[in-house]
């Protein structure tokens, strides 16, 4: 199975399944001499872990990371960083009813067709539980990128949208509520809505917005390795992501060039930032900002029609512990993937210096 590694110089390779004994990964290319705040790495995992509030899956996992290599007395050695996160609260029997059937809009059918075998327990390798490994690596990447600030937040749940530019939002309020929406009034409405959706056995999607500040100019490569292209790939690799836009995004297509062009100030900064901090695929020193759209979770705790592996129609009903809306827990994942992309380009840039 290919596709388990991400990055060119700062790389992450992950392994493990949702209901296996553990998840883990190997980080290569991390510079030596980086003093790590191990508590902060665990805090990032705690932001992603299940069971943290009433509006997420109630699977209880401590998600405690254990490092096996690459760190000595809290400092990176420059060698590969190996880590493991043990699974402690699997309930594999919750998935016995889908052993021979395919859940609509899941990876069940495609994995079976590609490999001829699938781990039906929680989706196996296709489970979003794999993203815990990304959060570990992203937390380390953030500490490599000290001075660069990466903040993601929930800006939409279903049709409820926080229609404010990030410049008018208090980003320090992101962790003040369980939805991770920095507008408390909207957060309360979103929380109530997610609870209503959950009570019906249904799910809902949403949008995570991300802002990256203090990015130096010059990160990114021309043509195929543009900074925004790598950010797009990183975000679209996250489970349930259906869309990515940066800067003016799709709204930019409705504007005139005279409106959309970012005029320069004398110091090289720009008066506007419709470019989203990236021009020609290379960072220009302005804030990078983008939106990531997440679909509704495919597992429904209600009856629905599907087919079994022989093509026969069957009736199913989701069981087990699932998120009614993934976006509150997706916030640290979006941040982590953004950090991995920037750390990679930061190291690539050093080649030229």
């Amino acid at each position: 199975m290919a596709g388990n590694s991400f990055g060119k110089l700062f790389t992450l390779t992950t392994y493990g399944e949702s209901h296996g004994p553990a998840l883990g990964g190997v980080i290569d290319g991390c510079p030596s001499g980086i003093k790590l705040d191990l508590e902060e790495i665990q805090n990032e995992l705690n932001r992603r872990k299940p069971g943290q509030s009433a509006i997420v899956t109630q699977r209880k996992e401590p998600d405690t990371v254990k490092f096996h290599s690459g760190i000595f007395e809290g400092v990176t050695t420059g060698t590969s960083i190996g880590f493991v996160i043990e699974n402690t609260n699997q309930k594999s029997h919750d998935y016995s009813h889908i052993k021979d059937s395919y859940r609509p809009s899941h990876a069940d059918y495609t994995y079976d067709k590609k490999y001829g075998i699938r781990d039906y327990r929680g989706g196996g390798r296709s489970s979003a539980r794999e993203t815990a490994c990304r959060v570990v690596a992203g937390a380390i990447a953030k500490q490599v990128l000290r001075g660069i600030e990466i903040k993601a937040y929930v800006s939409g749940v279903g049709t409820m949208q926080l229609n404010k530019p990030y410049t008018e939002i208090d980003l320090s309020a992101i962790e003040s509520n369980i939805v991770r929406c920095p507008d408390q009034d909207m957060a309360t409405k979103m929380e109530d809505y997610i609870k209503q959706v959950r009570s019906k056995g249904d799910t809902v999607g949403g949008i995570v917005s991300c802002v990256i500040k203090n990015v130096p100019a010059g990160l990114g490569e021309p043509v195929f390795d543009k900074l925004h292209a790598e950010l797009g790939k990183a975000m679209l690799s996250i489970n349930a992501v259906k869309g990515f836009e940066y800067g003016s995004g799709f709204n930019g297509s409705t504007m005139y060039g005279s409106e959309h062009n970012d005029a320069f100030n004398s110091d090289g900064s720009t008066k506007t930032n419709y470019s989203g901090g990236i021009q020609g695929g290379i960072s220009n020193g302005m804030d990078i900002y983008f939106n990531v759209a997440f679909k509704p979770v495919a597992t429904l705790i209600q009856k629905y029609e599907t087919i079994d592996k022989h093509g026969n129609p069957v009736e199913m009903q989701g069981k087990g512990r699932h998120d009614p809306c993934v976006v509150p827990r997706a916030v640290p994942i979006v941040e982590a993937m953004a950090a991995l992309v920037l750390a990679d380009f930061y190291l690539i840039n050093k080649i030229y210096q």
Side-chain angles (χ1 to χ4, degrees):
M1 180 179 181
N4 295 294
S5 299
F6 184 83
K8 291 181 173 64
L9 294 186
F10 191 100
T11 68
L12 168 67
T13 300
T14 71
Y15 68 87
E17 288 85 31
S18 176
H19 285 241
L23 301 157
V26 175
I27 302 165
D28 251 326
C30 183
S32 62
I34 306 293
K35 185 171 178 55
L36 294 178
D37 185 338
L38 299 180
E39 184 177 344
E40 183 55 32
I41 296 171
Q42 186 59 54
N43 286 341
E44 291 291 297
L45 271 173
N46 292 344
R47 295 172 69 210
R48 193 221 71 95
K49 73 179 181 181
Q52 61 183 272
S53 76
I55 60 171
V56 303
T57 172
Q58 293 306 293
R59 178 172 176 172
K60 299 294 184 182
E61 290 284 1
D63 278 1
T64 302
V65 61
K66 298 177 182 177
F67 291 102
H68 289 171
S69 64
I71 302 171
F72 179 67
E73 295 182 341
V75 178
T76 60
T77 64
T79 60
S80 59
I81 299 174
F83 63 90
V84 65
I85 303 166
E86 294 179 354
N87 290 326
T88 65
N89 191 224
Q90 308 97 312
K91 291 187 177 180
S92 300
H93 62 273
D94 285 345
Y95 297 90
S96 57
H97 66 296
I98 65 167
K99 182 175 182 292
D100 297 315
S101 300
Y102 302 127
R103 295 169 294 177
S105 292
H106 270 277
D108 298 342
Y109 178 82
T110 52
Y111 266 55
D112 213 5
K113 293 302 177 182
K114 182 175 180 64
Y115 301 108
I117 186 173
R118 69 183 175 98
D119 183 349
Y120 61 85
R121 304 166 303 165
R125 186 68 177 147
S126 69
S127 169
R129 182 143 178 75
E130 178 271 338
T131 59
C133 302
R134 306 180 188 210
V135 171
V136 173
I140 292 175
K142 282 184 177 181
Q143 296 188 40
V144 171
L145 298 165
R146 293 192 192 279
I148 294 178
E149 181 183 356
I150 305 173
K151 293 284 187 182
Y153 60 93
V154 173
S155 61
V157 171
T159 59
M160 305 178 71
Q161 304 292 316
L162 181 61
N163 292 316
K164 293 182 181 179
Y166 75 89
T167 52
E168 297 178 11
I169 294 172
D170 180 7
L171 298 179
S172 67
I174 294 170
E175 295 295 323
S176 66
N177 57 74
I178 60 176
V179 182
R180 294 198 168 95
C181 174
D183 183 291
Q184 188 55 56
D185 289 340
M186 180 59 76
T188 299
K189 295 175 183 177
M190 288 176 172
E191 180 182 346
D192 290 342
Y193 183 54
I194 292 171
K195 288 178 178 177
Q196 291 174 22
V197 169
R198 182 177 210 158
S199 68
K200 299 175 183 177
D202 215 330
T203 62
V204 68
I207 297 174
V208 173
S209 297
C210 187
V211 183
I212 311 175
K213 295 178 174 289
N214 307 320
V215 180
L219 298 187
E221 299 296 310
V223 191
F224 296 115
D225 293 337
K226 292 180 171 70
L227 177 54
H228 59 272
E230 292 301 309
L231 284 170
K233 175 183 177 180
M235 299 308 145
L236 290 165
S237 75
I238 301 171
N239 307 61
V241 169
K242 302 298 286 185
F244 169 81
E245 64 174 359
Y246 77 101
S248 61
F250 284 92
N251 285 336
S253 66
T254 67
M255 301 170 67
Y256 293 113
S258 56
E259 297 175 283
H260 192 271
N261 285 350
D262 294 319
F264 284 105
N265 296 310
S266 59
D267 63 356
S269 63
T270 56
K271 299 181 187 301
T272 55
N273 189 19
Y274 294 116
S275 299
I278 304 170
Q279 293 173 330
I282 298 171
S283 63
N284 66 358
M286 300 295 287
D287 293 347
I288 296 172
Y289 62 97
F290 56 85
N291 296 319
V292 186
F294 288 79
K295 71 173 185 176
V297 174
T299 299
L300 307 178
I301 310 302
Q302 56 181 247
K303 292 181 179 180
Y304 53 87
E305 298 294 326
T306 188
I307 61 170
D308 63 19
K309 63 182 181 181
H310 304 294
N312 301 313
V314 294
E315 184 179 75
M316 288 181 60
Q317 181 171 356
K319 300 179 182 179
R321 302 157 296 180
H322 305 279
D323 291 272
C325 180
V326 298
V327 290
R329 291 177 61 211
V331 165
I333 303 168
V334 167
E335 291 182 2
M337 293 307 295
L340 289 178
V341 171
L342 289 180
D344 205 23
F345 278 122
Y346 167 76
L347 294 178
I348 291 171
N349 230 35
K350 280 186 167 294
I351 296 174
Y352 303 121
Q353 298 173 355

